Amino acid sequence: MPSTGQKPMIPWKRFWCRFGGPIHVGDDRQGFLTDHEGDFTKAYNPNLSTLEQLLNEPCLILCGDPGIGKTTVVQQAKDVLKASLGEGGRMISLEFRDVPNETVFAKQTFESLNWQQWRNATAKLVLVVDGVDEGLVKIRGFVSWLTAQLRQEPIDRLQVILVCRSAEWPVNEGKQLISLWGHFEKPPIFELCPLRQCDAELAAETWGLDKHAFIKSVYHHRVVGLGALPTTLLFLLAEF
């Protein structure tokens, strides 16, 4: 059985909804995501998408609460992104925990050899920036600053994917950034949904536990909300 310090890779299928859009997470609104792929729950949550279904967006904003698994889902999708680049395509991926200020950000992006070679070529480049909420602290007005930097770039060959905590995403500044790619009927801003009950059961099985006994205990102790988040689910598994 894994310890709390280990995080086994569990093949969850995660879903995203429109930013601020309604989702069904139980009648008390604090539970597992109601499974729209279930035999008896197909009518619930009809408008969810996997990340792979969203990767055609030229500018994609991925939000979610702390501990919900945004970084893990994006990391797992990078192979799909790389495959979409085509010949000569490039990817620049960074996390703001490793970026102290705008000078370092610029060196790793706009001033990098990768970026300069892309600018003078005809291929596609994908820029993935995780931890934008932290970036907003380190670089004041980061999203507006990024928008200004990109105005002179060939954005028809650029895809930008930003990952941010929902509560921290600057909606107005974000609109300006998204508008660089034109008008969208619906802004390409999405939130990661909580886990489904079947996801928690899969995690219990991965840990070598009785999945039915575990789920029964989660409901008995009224900690379904904790069981629906990957980070706290691991602690519940260890405690069980």
Side-chain angles (χ1 to χ4, degrees), residues 42-218:
K42 293 179 179 179
Y44 293 98
N45 299 321
N47 299 315
L48 304 186
S49 303
T50 63
L51 183 52
E52 287 74 16
Q53 292 172 322
L54 303 176
L55 292 181
N56 62 333
E57 298 284 359
C59 181
L60 181 59
I61 314 302
L62 301 175
C63 298
D65 294 332
I68 203 167
K70 303 181 296 297
T71 296
T72 299
V73 177
V74 173
Q75 289 288 343
Q76 292 173 342
K78 284 185 178 178
D79 286 341
V80 177
L81 277 171
K82 290 177 181 178
S84 72
L85 290 175
E87 185 176 355
R90 302 170 186 272
M91 175 183 291
I92 296 177
S93 178
L94 53 85
E95 299 183 20
F96 255 113
R97 65 184 180 186
D98 303 319
V99 179
N101 51 51
E102 64 184 62
T103 300
V104 173
F105 185 94
K107 286 183 178 179
Q108 294 186 11
T109 53
F110 317 122
E111 299 171 10
S112 69
L113 180 61
N114 252 344
W115 193 281
Q116 293 175 28
Q117 290 178 339
W118 162 76
R119 184 186 288 140
N120 298 317
T122 59
K124 177 182 176 181
L125 183 143
V126 177
L127 173 64
V128 182
V129 183
D130 195 1
V132 170
D133 42 282
E134 188 173 348
L136 293 168
V137 176
K138 294 179 176 180
I139 303 176
R140 187 173 181 179
F142 167 71
V143 175
S144 295
W145 177 79
L146 178 63
T147 302
Q149 300 299 316
L150 295 180
R151 288 191 188 281
Q152 305 304 316
E153 302 291 350
I155 59 172
D156 59 309
R157 295 188 286 110
L158 174 66
Q159 180 181 24
V160 172
I161 299 175
L162 304 183
V163 186
C164 184
R165 291 183 177 182
S166 298
E168 307 299 329
W169 175 248
V171 176
N172 291 331
E173 291 88 339
K175 289 179 180 178
Q176 296 299 314
L177 173 67
I178 294 169
S179 70
L180 293 179
W181 283 266
H183 173 72
F184 292 82
E185 182 177 349
K186 294 181 179 180
I189 311 176
F190 297 85
E191 288 184 284
L192 184 57
C193 298
L195 297 171
R196 301 168 294 175
Q197 179 173 314
C198 64
D199 297 322
E201 292 173 351
L202 177 59
E205 287 182 319
T206 302
W207 281 54
L209 302 174
D210 183 329
K211 64 180 182 181
H212 300 296
F214 174 70
I215 293 298
K216 182 178 180 180
S217 179
V218 167

Side-chain angles (χ1 to χ4, degrees), residues 34-47:
T34 303
D35 189 0
H36 66 294
E37 295 183 329
D39 292 336
F40 304 104
T41 52
K42 293 179 179 179
Y44 293 98
N45 299 321
N47 299 315

Side-chain angles (χ1 to χ4, degrees), residues 21-34 44-45 65 194 219 224-226 228-229:
I23 58 172
H24 191 274
V25 288
D27 293 335
D28 60 358
R29 300 183 180 182
Q30 289 186 324
F32 293 113
L33 177 70
T34 303
Y44 293 98
N45 299 321
D65 294 332
Y219 279 102
V224 180
L226 298 179
L229 299 178

